[in-house]
Amino acid sequence: MGDRKKPGFGKQLADLHRWNAWLVVALAASGLLLSWGAARGWLGEGRAWVKQLHIYLGLVTAILLVLYAPLARKHLKQLRNRPRQRGNLVFVFALLAGWLLSGIILWQFRHLPPRWSNNALVVHDLLTWGGLPYLVYHSVTRMRWAKKPEKRAVRPDAAEPASPDGTGGLHPAASPQPWMSRKQFIQWSVGIALTAAVAPSFFRWLGRSFVGTGGPGGMAGGADPNRMLPAPEPLPDSVRVIGGGAQGRFRVYTVTPLPTFDSGSWTFTLDGLVDKPGRWNWEQFLKLERVVQVGDFHCVTGWSVYKNTWEGIPLARLLREAGVKPEAKYVKFYSGDGEYTDALSLDQANMDDVLVAVLHDGKPIHRDYGGPVRLIVPKMYAYKSVKWLERIELIDRPHTGYWEARGYDNDAWV
Ligand SMILES: Nc1nc2c(c(=O)[nH]1)N[C@H]1C(S)=C(S)[C@@H](COP(=O)(O)O)O[C@H]1N2
Ligand SMILES: [Mo]
C-alpha cells in the first residue's frame, strides 16, 4: 500500500533526465566561462565564485548518478530493442562519470601528484570537446519542432492537422517517399553545423595538447610581437636544452590585453628599500650574468609543463648586489601590463632557483608567455611567476597579489 506514494518508473526517469539536463547546462556555462581566457580579466574575483559553483554543481551530478543507479537495470532492459537509445544512455553515463572523476581530481589536485591533475585536465577537456557538442545535438534533435508534425502534441488550432496517412493534410496523398525524412534532414543539418562550428578550435586544441606544434619548448605562437634588439645570446647549456626540451603546453594567461614591448622604451627597475636602486635598458640588462636551470611549471588550475630550460638572472644575486635594507621584508613584482603584481617574502625571494628569466629552451621568451622578461618561481604555483616583469620593489609590509586579492591562496607552494 505504501507503494502508492512512489512516483512511477517513467516519472522517476523523466525527473532525473530533466534535473540532469539543467545541471549540465549550468556546468557547461560555468565551465566554458572558466576556461575562456579573455574572461580572466573582467571576471576578476567572480572567477573564484564561478569555480566553486562549478565544483558544487559537478558534485551534484554524483547524487544524480547514485539516484539513477538502482533504475539503470530496468531502464536498459526497457531499451533492449532500441540500440541507439541504449548507446546514447551508455555514452551519456560514461561522459558524466568521466567528467565527475576527472573533476574530482582537479578539485583535489593539491593532495595528488601534478601529473594526475595534468592528465585529468586533458580528460576533462577531451570529454567536453566530444560530449558537449553531442549533448547539444541530442537536445536540439529531440526538441518538439524536430519531431514529425504528426508526432507533435495535437493543438486544436493547428493549421496542419495530424494526418498519419497524409490524406487529411495539405500535402497530396500520393507524394512519393522523400529521399530524406524530415527527421534525418534535421539530424544531419544540426550534426554538420555543430561539427563545422567546433572542429577548427578542436583541432587547434588537439595540436597544442598532443602534437606540440610549438616545437621543442612547449610555447606555441607565431612571430614575436615584441621588438627587443639585439636578441639575447643563449648560453651553451640553454642551446642544448639540458632537460631535453619542455614537455607539455603553456596556456596563455593574461588579465589585460596582451602588451607588447620595444627595446627602445623598455626598462627594468629595482628599487624601494635598497641601498643601490637600479634601472637598466635592454642592452644593459642583457649584460647581467645569467644562469641556466631546468624546472617544472605548475598552474594552479591543473596543467603543468615539465623540464623547462630557463635562462636568466637569479633574483637572489640581484637583491644581494642592490643591498637590501634591514627594514625590507617583502619583494613586490610589477608586470609591464600595468595591472598584475605579486609578492614574495624576502626568504622566499632568496631561494636559489627564483629566476628573472629571459630565455626558455634556448629562445627569447615569446611575448604571449611573458617575454621579454618574466619571473620564475619553480617551487610555487605559476601565479607567482609574473609575466612581462618590469619592476621589483623592496617593501616593508605584505602585498596582496592580483590573484590572491581575487581568492587564490596566499600560500602558493606546490
Ligand atoms: N602579468 C601576468 N602574469 C601572470 C599571469 C597573468 O595573467 N598576467 N597569470 C599567471 C598564471 S595564473 C599563470 S598559470 C602563468 C601562466 O603563464 P603562461 O601564460 O606563460 O602560460 O602566468 C602567471 N603570471
Ligand atoms: Mo595559473
Side-chain angles (χ1 to χ4, degrees), residues 152 202 235 286 300:
R152 296 181 206 165
F202 171 68
L235 293 169
L286 287 182
V300 76

Side-chain angles (χ1 to χ4, degrees), residues 229-293:
L229 297 169
E233 273 302 321
L235 293 169
D237 274 350
S238 218
V239 174
R240 282 204 302 271
V241 280
I242 45 181
Q247 295 167 13
R249 141 177 114 78
F250 292 86
R251 298 181 180 220
V252 176
Y253 284 169
T254 185
V255 297
T256 62
L258 289 165
T260 53
F261 301 89
D262 191 293
S263 38
S265 55
W266 183 90
T267 59
F268 191 89
T269 306
L270 174 55
D271 61 359
L273 301 168
V274 288
D275 299 326
K276 287 176 287 175
R279 170 168 287 198
W280 298 262
N281 65 23
W282 180 240
E283 214 172 311
Q284 296 162 334
F285 190 80
L286 287 182
K287 294 209 177 91
L288 297 174
E289 199 188 319
R290 299 192 292 267
V291 299
V292 180
Q293 71 186 34

Side-chain angles (χ1 to χ4, degrees), residues 149-355:
E150 57 268 32
K151 277 201 182 170
R152 296 181 206 165
V154 185
R155 278 178 286 127
D157 59 337
E160 217 177 320
S163 54
D165 56 346
T167 47
L170 298 174
H171 302 295
S175 75
Q177 189 77 17
W179 66 278
M180 199 182 221
S181 72
R182 175 193 168 85
K183 189 173 165 193
Q184 280 174 322
F185 177 74
I186 288 171
Q187 285 175 341
W188 276 92
S189 330
V190 173
I192 289 169
L194 272 171
T195 310
V198 171
S201 16
F202 171 68
F203 283 113
R204 238 177 296 134
W205 174 83
L206 208 61
R208 284 191 313 244
S209 300
F210 297 105
V211 191
T213 47
M219 289 183 182
D224 195 335
N226 283 341
R227 279 185 44 82
M228 306 302 289
L229 297 169
E233 273 302 321
L235 293 169
D237 274 350
S238 218
V239 174
R240 282 204 302 271
V241 280
I242 45 181
Q247 295 167 13
R249 141 177 114 78
F250 292 86
R251 298 181 180 220
V252 176
Y253 284 169
T254 185
V255 297
T256 62
L258 289 165
T260 53
F261 301 89
D262 191 293
S263 38
S265 55
W266 183 90
T267 59
F268 191 89
T269 306
L270 174 55
D271 61 359
L273 301 168
V274 288
D275 299 326
K276 287 176 287 175
R279 170 168 287 198
W280 298 262
N281 65 23
W282 180 240
E283 214 172 311
Q284 296 162 334
F285 190 80
L286 287 182
K287 294 209 177 91
L288 297 174
E289 199 188 319
R290 299 192 292 267
V291 299
V292 180
Q293 71 186 34
V294 176
D296 299 339
F297 184 96
H298 305 291
C299 172
V300 76
T301 59
W303 54 271
S304 308
V305 181
Y306 302 94
K307 297 194 174 178
N308 300 280
T309 298
W310 298 108
E311 178 179 324
I313 306 139
L315 178 61
R317 173 155 37 87
L318 280 177
L319 294 179
R320 189 163 9 96
E321 286 171 3
V324 175
K325 291 188 166 155
E327 321 77 280
K329 296 283 181 291
Y330 295 91
V331 186
K332 180 176 175 184
F333 306 94
Y334 295 80
S335 169
D337 64 13
E339 211 35 68
Y340 200 92
T341 60
D342 215 320
L344 295 173
S345 73
L346 207 49
D347 281 346
Q348 294 168 347
N350 273 312
M351 291 187 292
D352 58 9
D353 56 357
V354 178
L355 205 64

Side-chain angles (χ1 to χ4, degrees), residues 372-404:
V373 173
R374 80 174 295 167
L375 189 68
I376 290 298
V377 188
K379 292 194 179 73
M380 296 191 180
Y381 284 112
Y383 56 88
K384 292 286 180 186
S385 295
V386 175
K387 294 166 74 171
W388 311 296
L389 182 67
E390 241 182 20
R391 180 180 172 207
I392 298 174
E393 185 189 18
L394 276 289
I395 54 179
D396 58 3
R397 68 200 66 197
H399 164 73
T400 306
Y402 183 92
W403 281 119
E404 290 88 335

